[in-house]
Amino acid sequence: MVILFSIPKALGLLLWIPEWLDRWANYPGLELWKFANLLIFIVVAFYLHHRFGKPIRNALRTRSESIKQELAKAREDRDLALAKLAELDARFADLDAEVDRIKEKARVEAEAERQRINLATDEEITKIREQAKRELESAGKAARHELRKFAAMESVRLAEEILKREMTAADDARLTTLNMQELGRTRA
Protein backbone atom coordinates (compact mmCIF):
# COMPACT_ATOMS: atom_id res chain seq x y z
CA MET A 1 0.00 0.00 0.00
CA VAL A 2 2.71 2.32 0.95
CA ILE A 3 4.59 1.02 -2.02
CA LEU A 4 2.28 2.69 -4.51
CA PHE A 5 2.51 5.92 -2.58
CA SER A 6 6.28 5.97 -2.97
CA ILE A 7 6.28 4.74 -6.59
CA PRO A 8 5.16 8.04 -8.22
CA LYS A 9 7.90 9.94 -6.40
CA ALA A 10 10.51 7.30 -7.20
CA LEU A 11 9.40 7.09 -10.79
CA GLY A 12 9.39 10.84 -10.99
CA LEU A 13 13.04 10.88 -10.04
CA LEU A 14 14.07 7.99 -12.26
CA LEU A 15 11.78 8.63 -15.17
CA TRP A 16 10.71 11.83 -16.48
CA ILE A 17 6.97 12.12 -15.75
CA PRO A 18 5.35 15.11 -17.27
CA GLU A 19 4.19 17.56 -14.78
CA TRP A 20 0.59 17.56 -15.96
CA LEU A 21 0.45 13.73 -15.29
CA ASP A 22 1.99 14.18 -11.86
CA ARG A 23 -0.46 16.97 -11.06
CA TRP A 24 -3.38 14.92 -12.32
CA ALA A 25 -2.27 11.67 -10.47
CA ASN A 26 -1.63 13.54 -7.24
CA TYR A 27 -4.56 15.96 -7.37
CA PRO A 28 -5.28 16.90 -3.73
CA GLY A 29 -8.18 14.83 -2.34
CA LEU A 30 -8.20 12.58 -5.42
CA GLU A 31 -4.83 10.92 -5.51
CA LEU A 32 -4.87 7.99 -7.96
CA TRP A 33 -2.34 6.01 -5.99
CA LYS A 34 -4.92 5.61 -3.21
CA PHE A 35 -7.33 3.96 -5.64
CA ALA A 36 -4.57 1.76 -6.99
CA ASN A 37 -3.68 0.79 -3.38
CA LEU A 38 -7.34 -0.07 -2.73
CA LEU A 39 -7.53 -2.14 -5.91
CA ILE A 40 -4.38 -4.12 -4.97
CA PHE A 41 -5.71 -4.66 -1.44
CA ILE A 42 -9.03 -5.97 -2.78
CA VAL A 43 -7.32 -8.31 -5.25
CA VAL A 44 -4.99 -9.69 -2.57
CA ALA A 45 -7.91 -10.07 -0.14
CA PHE A 46 -9.95 -12.00 -2.75
CA TYR A 47 -6.97 -14.20 -3.53
CA LEU A 48 -6.37 -14.96 0.15
CA HIS A 49 -10.06 -15.58 0.67
CA HIS A 50 -10.19 -17.92 -2.32
CA ARG A 51 -7.01 -19.72 -1.26
CA PHE A 52 -7.52 -19.96 2.55
CA GLY A 53 -11.20 -19.11 2.97
CA LYS A 54 -12.63 -22.65 3.03
CA PRO A 55 -10.27 -24.09 5.68
CA ILE A 56 -10.69 -21.02 7.85
CA ARG A 57 -14.45 -21.05 7.31
CA ASN A 58 -14.57 -24.77 8.13
CA ALA A 59 -12.41 -24.27 11.21
CA LEU A 60 -14.59 -21.38 12.33
CA ARG A 61 -17.74 -23.42 11.65
CA THR A 62 -16.31 -26.37 13.62
CA ARG A 63 -15.32 -24.08 16.44
CA SER A 64 -18.78 -22.50 16.36
CA GLU A 65 -20.42 -25.95 16.57
CA SER A 66 -18.18 -27.00 19.48
CA ILE A 67 -18.98 -23.75 21.28
CA LYS A 68 -22.71 -24.40 20.70
CA GLN A 69 -22.31 -27.93 22.10
CA GLU A 70 -20.38 -26.65 25.09
CA LEU A 71 -23.07 -24.02 25.70
CA ALA A 72 -25.79 -26.70 25.50
CA LYS A 73 -23.83 -28.90 27.93
CA ALA A 74 -23.28 -25.92 30.21
CA ARG A 75 -27.04 -25.22 30.14
CA GLU A 76 -27.74 -28.88 31.02
CA ASP A 77 -25.20 -28.75 33.83
CA ARG A 78 -26.68 -25.47 35.06
CA ASP A 79 -30.21 -26.93 34.97
CA LEU A 80 -29.02 -30.05 36.80
CA ALA A 81 -27.22 -27.93 39.40
CA LEU A 82 -30.31 -25.75 39.84
CA ALA A 83 -32.44 -28.87 40.32
CA LYS A 84 -30.00 -30.20 42.93
CA LEU A 85 -29.95 -26.80 44.58
CA ALA A 86 -33.74 -26.77 44.73
CA GLU A 87 -33.72 -30.29 46.18
CA LEU A 88 -31.14 -29.31 48.79
CA ASP A 89 -33.10 -26.16 49.63
CA ALA A 90 -36.19 -28.30 50.16
CA ARG A 91 -34.19 -30.70 52.34
CA PHE A 92 -32.77 -27.84 54.37
CA ALA A 93 -36.23 -26.35 54.75
CA ASP A 94 -37.46 -29.71 56.08
CA LEU A 95 -34.32 -30.25 58.12
CA ASP A 96 -35.48 -28.25 61.14
CA ALA A 97 -38.82 -30.04 61.16
CA GLU A 98 -37.05 -33.39 60.76
CA VAL A 99 -34.69 -32.60 63.64
CA ASP A 100 -37.68 -31.64 65.82
CA ARG A 101 -39.44 -34.90 64.87
CA ILE A 102 -36.34 -36.93 65.69
CA LYS A 103 -35.92 -35.15 69.03
CA GLU A 104 -39.57 -35.74 69.91
CA LYS A 105 -39.33 -39.40 68.89
CA ALA A 106 -36.15 -39.80 70.97
CA ARG A 107 -37.83 -38.12 73.94
CA VAL A 108 -40.88 -40.42 73.67
CA GLU A 109 -38.65 -43.49 73.30
CA ALA A 110 -36.52 -42.39 76.27
CA GLU A 111 -39.65 -41.92 78.40
CA ALA A 112 -40.95 -45.35 77.35
CA GLU A 113 -37.56 -46.89 78.13
CA ARG A 114 -37.48 -45.12 81.52
CA GLN A 115 -40.95 -46.49 82.34
CA ARG A 116 -39.96 -49.97 81.19
CA ILE A 117 -36.81 -49.85 83.32
CA ASN A 118 -38.80 -48.59 86.33
CA LEU A 119 -41.35 -51.39 85.86
CA ALA A 120 -38.60 -53.99 85.46
CA THR A 121 -36.86 -52.60 88.55
CA ASP A 122 -40.07 -52.74 90.59
CA GLU A 123 -40.68 -56.32 89.45
CA GLU A 124 -37.11 -57.27 90.31
CA ILE A 125 -37.41 -55.63 93.76
CA THR A 126 -40.67 -57.54 94.37
CA LYS A 127 -39.02 -60.82 93.31
CA ILE A 128 -36.02 -60.16 95.54
CA ARG A 129 -38.28 -59.32 98.51
CA GLU A 130 -40.34 -62.47 97.99
CA GLN A 131 -37.19 -64.55 97.65
CA ALA A 132 -35.74 -62.95 100.79
CA LYS A 133 -39.03 -63.61 102.62
CA ARG A 134 -39.00 -67.28 101.52
CA GLU A 135 -35.35 -67.60 102.52
CA LEU A 136 -36.11 -66.05 105.92
CA GLU A 137 -39.05 -68.40 106.40
CA SER A 138 -36.93 -71.34 105.31
CA ALA A 139 -34.09 -70.23 107.56
CA GLY A 140 -36.60 -69.76 110.40
CA LYS A 141 -37.97 -73.29 109.87
CA ALA A 142 -34.48 -74.71 109.73
CA ALA A 143 -33.50 -72.80 112.85
CA ARG A 144 -36.64 -74.00 114.69
CA HIS A 145 -35.95 -77.55 113.54
CA GLU A 146 -32.35 -77.29 114.73
CA LEU A 147 -33.54 -75.76 117.99
CA ARG A 148 -36.04 -78.60 118.54
CA LYS A 149 -33.41 -81.16 117.67
CA PHE A 150 -30.96 -79.48 120.01
CA ALA A 151 -33.58 -79.24 122.74
CA ALA A 152 -34.50 -82.92 122.32
CA MET A 153 -30.88 -84.03 122.44
CA GLU A 154 -30.20 -81.84 125.44
CA SER A 155 -33.28 -83.22 127.13
CA VAL A 156 -32.14 -86.78 126.45
CA ARG A 157 -28.65 -86.00 127.65
CA LEU A 158 -29.89 -84.29 130.79
CA ALA A 159 -32.30 -87.19 131.42
CA GLU A 160 -29.44 -89.66 131.02
CA GLU A 161 -27.32 -87.68 133.46
CA ILE A 162 -30.15 -87.50 135.96
CA LEU A 163 -30.82 -91.20 135.53
CA LYS A 164 -27.15 -92.07 135.95
CA ARG A 165 -26.89 -89.93 139.04
CA GLU A 166 -30.09 -90.96 140.73
CA MET A 167 -30.59 -94.53 139.65
CA THR A 168 -29.49 -97.29 141.86
CA ALA A 169 -28.93 -100.99 141.22
CA ALA A 170 -32.31 -101.84 142.80
CA ASP A 171 -34.10 -99.38 140.54
CA ASP A 172 -32.31 -100.90 137.57
CA ALA A 173 -33.37 -104.43 138.50
CA ARG A 174 -36.97 -103.38 139.12
CA LEU A 175 -37.15 -101.57 135.68
CA THR A 176 -35.64 -104.56 133.93
CA THR A 177 -38.25 -106.88 135.50
CA LEU A 178 -41.09 -104.54 134.54
CA ASN A 179 -39.83 -104.33 130.96
CA MET A 180 -39.65 -108.14 130.74
CA GLN A 181 -43.15 -108.49 132.01
CA GLU A 182 -44.32 -105.90 129.47
CA LEU A 183 -42.61 -107.78 126.70
CA GLY A 184 -44.14 -111.01 127.83
CA ARG A 185 -47.63 -109.51 127.80
CA THR A 186 -47.29 -108.20 124.34
CA ARG A 187 -46.20 -111.58 123.02
CA ALA A 188 -49.06 -113.47 124.54
Side-chain angles (χ1 to χ4, degrees):
M1 324 283 165
V2 176
I3 297 172
L4 286 181
F5 177 68
S6 59
I7 287 177
K9 303 270 182 195
L11 281 177
L13 295 176
L14 296 176
L15 300 172
W16 179 80
I17 296 178
E19 192 175 314
W20 65 268
L21 182 63
D22 186 42
R23 237 181 307 126
W24 185 77
N26 289 317
Y27 187 78
L30 185 66
E31 291 92 4
L32 285 181
W33 61 268
K34 288 182 182 178
F35 290 109
N37 252 351
L38 178 63
L39 183 67
I40 292 172
F41 175 76
I42 290 172
V43 169
V44 169
F46 275 123
Y47 171 76
L48 290 175
H49 175 69
H50 179 69
R51 175 90 169 128
F52 301 108
K54 281 187 181 179
I56 291 174
R57 191 177 326 121
N58 289 339
L60 289 175
R61 186 176 294 130
T62 304
R63 178 68 181 146
S64 173
E65 291 298 320
S66 69
I67 288 173
K68 286 178 184 176
Q69 289 174 355
E70 288 175 8
L71 282 173
K73 185 176 182 319
R75 282 188 197 110
E76 283 181 21
D77 291 345
R78 184 198 65 203
D79 293 342
L80 183 64
L82 288 175
K84 280 191 176 188
L85 180 63
E87 178 185 340
L88 288 175
D89 284 343
R91 278 188 180 175
F92 280 129
D94 293 341
L95 189 62
D96 290 333
E98 185 69 23
V99 167
D100 290 342
R101 281 192 296 258
I102 290 171
K103 283 181 180 179
E104 182 62 26
K105 183 178 177 183
R107 188 188 61 73
V108 168
E109 288 176 358
E111 184 62 32
E113 185 67 16
R114 187 178 303 117
Q115 289 176 356
R116 187 192 65 76
I117 289 172
N118 286 341
L119 184 62
T121 303
D122 290 344
E123 289 176 1
E124 192 66 28
I125 288 172
T126 303
K127 286 180 186 178
I128 290 172
R129 282 184 180 159
E130 288 176 5
Q131 184 179 1
K133 186 178 179 183
R134 284 193 302 267
E135 287 178 4
L136 283 174
E137 288 174 359
S138 176
K141 286 180 185 178
R144 282 192 292 274
H145 182 326
E146 284 294 317
L147 187 58
R148 285 184 191 137
K149 185 176 172 184
F150 177 73
M153 290 177 73
E154 277 302 306
S155 296
V156 170
R157 189 184 62 78
L158 286 174
E160 282 179 355
E161 279 182 20
I162 291 173
L163 283 176
K164 283 183 186 175
R165 232 186 353 200
E166 294 185 9
M167 201 154 161
T168 60
D171 290 333
D172 191 29
R174 185 174 48 87
L175 283 173
T176 305
T177 306
L178 279 175
N179 277 337
M180 293 300 239
Q181 289 173 354
E182 258 322 291
L183 277 175
R185 266 190 253 153
T186 49
R187 283 189 177 195

